Amino acid sequence: MQQQTLGLTTLFADEWLAVVDKPAGLMVHDSKLARGETDFAADRLREQFGKPIFLIHRLDRATSGCLLLAFDRETASALGKTLMSQDVDKEYLAVCRGWPEPAFTVDHPLDGGPGKPEKKPAVTHFTRLTTGELPVPSNGFETSRYALLQCRLETGRFRQIRRHLKHAFHHMIGDTSHGDGRHNLQFRMRGVHRMLLHASTLSFTHPVSGERIAVTAPLDAEFRKAYALFDWDEKML
């Protein structure tokens, strides 16, 4: 890998914290799910900023977008408390199969992933931004239907959005663990090889200045390919 590809795009930074744009396919940190992986966002960011970093939240490997970190323990602790108080607003974009209702909420408890069987409350709010169709027969229909969703997390459980969309029978496109392989294939055949989940916006109160910080991460090339399939407006971000 060439050196210039190692740095993550910085969306906001000051002496206390930063928000970076994590690319899809990059693991945030080492874990039981790493399976021999040696390239992690946390390691890149320590080198990139030249100092310790403290991750405030996580993104799945296949998810792109806004990732919040702090540069000292005090700021990390303050941001952690802000996160727990639900004063951090996180919005995601996802493409799912089918045309769900214009707005719906999934309230369905989830476990914590491998080795964490205890189920805890999990709530996700979804808004349908637009819809599209591909000329592929599906389930007795002449076309295959898809929707672009805005997703707001009320809780932050393991793979919450992905698992909640599966629970609602509107599987996320590109999700090889909880999605629908038939629909994933249709997108791969059209050049879209990533899971279509993007942490698009992040807003929070700065723990030092008290200012409200709002950051938006742009879509990557493959997510824009999905938009292009349906002539969706990239301003829907």
Side-chain angles (χ1 to χ4, degrees):
M1 183 179 294
Q2 297 181 353
Q3 184 65 30
Q4 61 263 33
T5 67
L6 292 176
L8 276 62
T9 299
T10 301
L11 303 172
F12 174 89
D14 59 19
E15 62 182 290
W16 298 284
L17 57 89
V19 181
V20 298
D21 187 1
K22 187 195 82 68
L26 177 64
M27 294 197 74
V28 171
H29 61 97
D30 198 358
S31 72
K32 293 180 180 178
L33 299 175
R35 298 177 182 175
E37 187 71 37
T38 59
D39 185 18
F40 304 102
D43 295 336
R44 291 196 195 185
L45 291 167
R46 277 189 286 270
E47 182 176 349
Q48 180 173 333
F49 289 108
K51 52 187 172 183
I53 61 104
F54 301 84
L55 296 168
I56 307 305
H57 65 112
R58 308 288 190 263
L59 293 177
D60 292 345
R61 176 177 184 163
T63 306
S64 58
C66 297
L67 182 67
L68 177 62
L69 56 104
F71 295 129
D72 61 79
R73 293 187 184 279
E74 292 76 14
T75 302
S77 176
L79 285 171
K81 292 176 182 177
T82 299
L83 188 67
M84 292 296 291
S85 70
Q86 298 186 348
D87 190 41
V88 176
D89 294 325
K90 295 183 286 184
E91 292 183 5
Y92 293 76
L93 291 174
V95 178
C96 74
R97 62 176 290 271
W99 289 357
E101 300 173 35
F104 63 103
T105 294
V106 176
D107 183 349
H108 177 67
L110 297 171
D111 61 39
K116 300 178 180 178
E118 181 185 357
K119 289 190 175 184
K120 296 183 179 180
V123 179
T124 313
H125 305 288
F126 297 95
T127 301
R128 192 186 73 201
L129 299 178
T130 190
T131 60
E133 296 177 89
L134 291 178
V136 179
S138 176
N139 296 328
F141 295 96
E142 294 183 356
T143 62
S144 295
R145 294 179 169 185
Y146 302 97
L148 177 66
L149 303 176
Q150 180 189 74
C151 319
R152 293 176 180 268
L153 294 172
E154 193 170 306
T155 53
R157 308 303 179 205
F158 178 72
R159 296 180 176 176
Q160 179 171 317
I161 296 174
R162 301 161 63 178
R163 296 164 77 190
H164 273 176
L165 283 177
K166 178 182 179 180
H167 181 73
F169 301 102
H170 289 290
H171 305 77
M172 185 183 298
I173 301 303
D175 186 350
T176 57
S177 298
H178 311 284
D180 186 316
R182 298 168 299 169
H183 292 279
N184 293 346
L185 177 61
Q186 293 303 324
F187 280 74
R188 288 199 300 272
M189 291 172 61
R190 291 163 174 78
V192 181
H193 298 275
R194 59 158 293 181
M195 184 177 74
L196 294 178
L197 179 62
H198 177 62
S200 56
T201 62
L202 182 70
S203 63
F204 57 94
T205 301
H206 196 293
V208 179
S209 70
E211 179 185 2
R212 190 70 182 177
I213 305 297
V215 182
T216 299
L219 298 174
D220 67 12
E222 282 202 49
F223 215 120
R224 292 199 302 272
K225 284 183 184 178
Y227 269 51
L229 290 175
F230 308 108
D231 293 322
W232 290 341
D233 188 345
E234 289 189 24
K235 294 179 182 179
M236 289 186 294
L237 177 57

